[in-house]
């Protein structure tokens, strides 16, 4: 079994080295590729065959998620009507490790005729693909991670990394922010955290509330019934004065023993608890929870009125 792990380690090393070897090959063509995409008034169409096509689909998806309208087009489909998907103002990113993939090269003249700029990605800067591209990105590898040096392994990794590098550069130039990313991922966890607010997930009904003079033993019942692991401490004028958690109760037991039952909520509560606005995003809620290493926040409105409780379970769910 140790040998099997060594095989994996060698694969990691080979592919990691292939990525590092890209650095000295990076030249002005990369700058030109980014400029072409930035200047693009239409879409970025990524195309490739076989493993290059699979990687191309991922690159197109990454670009699209980061604000660049992009989709993948199979070259074989381009001959049967899908070429109509490409229009003036678009940019084509063509991927072929050899730079001589026949299915890809056959429709390049059609792109040139329509003045569609091509960003070529291959491992051969002297290939036909490189020759007919507006700019060429070299992703050459000395050898594949595959022990037979036959299956695309290191080369698909360098291709994907080059696509990621383009996407990262575009994010920087466009000042693309997390909130922008969330607009393209409304159904994902990040979209939820950035687009949803505390008011959407807080508990606002039947809040567990106790008074400062409440005996701790009675507060325990309120905490248990509330099923939030805490109770809000409010005075007779409904002002927030503190919070008491099941952790506070455990610490009181450890410190006071049986005498704990003679204590009131005031004796063990946390005064001036952290609060947050109902308009705060879940990302803001999570940031405060992590910063102060707490599991819940009291939600208060602009008049400091308690309107709910939000905890880490609702942020993560």
């Amino acid at each position: 079994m140790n040998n099997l792990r060594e095989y994996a380690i060698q694969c990691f090393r080979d592919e990691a080295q292939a990525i590092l070897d890209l650095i000295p090959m990076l030249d002005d063509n990369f700058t030109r590729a980014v400029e072409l995409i930035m200047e693009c008034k239409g879409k970025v169409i990524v195309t490739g065959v076989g493993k290059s096509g699979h990687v191309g689909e991922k690159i197109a998806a990454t670009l699209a998620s980061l604000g660049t309208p992009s989709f993948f087009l199979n070259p074989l489909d381009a001959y049967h009507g899908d070429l109509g998907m490409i229009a003036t103002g678009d940019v084509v990113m063509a991927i072929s490790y050899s730079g001589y993939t026949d299915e890809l090269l056959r429709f390049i003249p059609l792109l040139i005729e329509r003045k569609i700029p091509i960003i070529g990605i291959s491992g051969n800067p002297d290939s036909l693909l490189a020759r007919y591209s507006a700019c060429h990105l070299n992703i050459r590898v000395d050898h594949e991670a595959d022990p037979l040096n036959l299956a695309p392994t290191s080369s698909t990794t360098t291709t994907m990394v080059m696509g990621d590098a383009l996407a990262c550069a575009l994010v920087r130039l466009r000042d693309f922010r997390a909130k922008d990313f969330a607009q393209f991922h409304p159904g994902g966890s990040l979209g939820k955290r950035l687009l949803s607010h505390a008011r959407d997930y807080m508990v606002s009904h039947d809040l567990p509330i106790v008074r400062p003079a409440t005996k701790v033993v009675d507060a325990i019942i309120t905490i248990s019934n509330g099923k939030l692991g805490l109770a809000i401490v409010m005075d007779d004028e409904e002002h927030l004065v503190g919070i008491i958690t099941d952790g506070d109760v455990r610490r009181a037991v450890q410190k006071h023993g049986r005498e704990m039952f003679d204590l009131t909520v005031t004796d063990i509560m946390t005064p001036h608890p952290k609060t947050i606005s109902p308009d705060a995003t879940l990302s803001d809620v999570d940031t405060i929870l992590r910063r102060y290493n707490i599991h819940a926040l009291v939600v208060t409105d602009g008049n400091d009125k308690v309107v709910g409780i939000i905890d880490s379970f609702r942020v993560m769910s």
Side-chain angles (χ1 to χ4, degrees), residues 62-167:
T62 299
L63 289 172
S65 72
L66 292 172
T68 298
S70 180
F71 65 85
F72 177 79
L73 174 64
N74 189 314
L76 299 177
D77 295 330
Y79 306 124
H80 300 281
D82 284 3
L83 193 62
M85 295 180 178
I86 305 175
T88 301
D90 292 343
V91 170
V92 168
M93 184 183 297
I95 305 171
S96 163
Y97 184 73
S98 69
Y100 286 100
T101 303
D102 182 63
E103 298 92 336
L104 196 65
L105 293 178
R106 275 192 291 162
F107 87 101
I108 282 182
L110 303 176
L111 300 176
I112 295 174
E113 181 180 353
R114 298 170 63 181
K115 295 182 171 54
I116 305 292
I118 301 168
I119 298 173
I121 300 181
S122 83
N124 184 356
D126 297 318
S127 63
L128 284 177
L129 174 60
R131 189 180 309 170
Y132 290 107
S133 296
C135 55
H136 175 261
L137 303 176
N138 191 354
I139 43 91
R140 181 182 61 81
V141 298
D142 289 334
H143 62 275
E144 300 287 1
D146 159 37
L148 300 177
N149 194 30
L150 294 174
T153 45
S154 296
S155 59
T156 50
T157 298
T158 55
T159 305
M160 188 171 296
V161 168
M162 186 62 76
D164 288 343
L166 289 170

Side-chain angles (χ1 to χ4, degrees), residues 34 55-56 75 146 195:
V34 173
V55 176
D146 159 37
L195 299 178

Side-chain angles (χ1 to χ4, degrees), residues 41 81 118 130 152 156 183 189 196 201 234 247 252 257 261 266 297 309:
K41 303 300 183 184
I118 301 168
T156 50
Q183 297 289 338
S189 60
S196 299
Y201 286 86
M234 300 178 68
F261 292 101
T266 302
L297 288 168
I309 297 173

Side-chain angles (χ1 to χ4, degrees), residues 206-211 214-232 244-246 249-250 253 260-261 263 265 268:
D206 299 322
L207 296 176
I209 297 173
V210 296
R211 303 301 177 187
T214 301
K215 290 290 188 179
V216 170
V217 65
D218 295 322
I220 292 174
I221 297 173
T222 301
I223 293 172
S224 179
N225 291 338
K227 299 180 180 180
L228 294 171
L230 58 85
I232 302 170
I244 179 172
T245 68
D246 49 9
V249 174
R250 288 194 302 272
V253 171
M260 186 267 295
F261 292 101
L263 301 177
V265 166
I268 70 171

Side-chain angles (χ1 to χ4, degrees), residues 21-48:
D21 288 343
L22 289 179
I23 296 175
M25 293 190 291
L26 207 60
D27 57 19
D28 290 342
N29 280 283
F30 182 83
T31 302
R32 179 57 181 147
V34 173
E35 290 174 345
L36 278 174
I37 297 174
M38 284 291 291
E39 296 165 359
C40 177
K41 303 300 183 184
K43 307 169 295 296
V44 175
I45 294 93
V46 185
T47 185

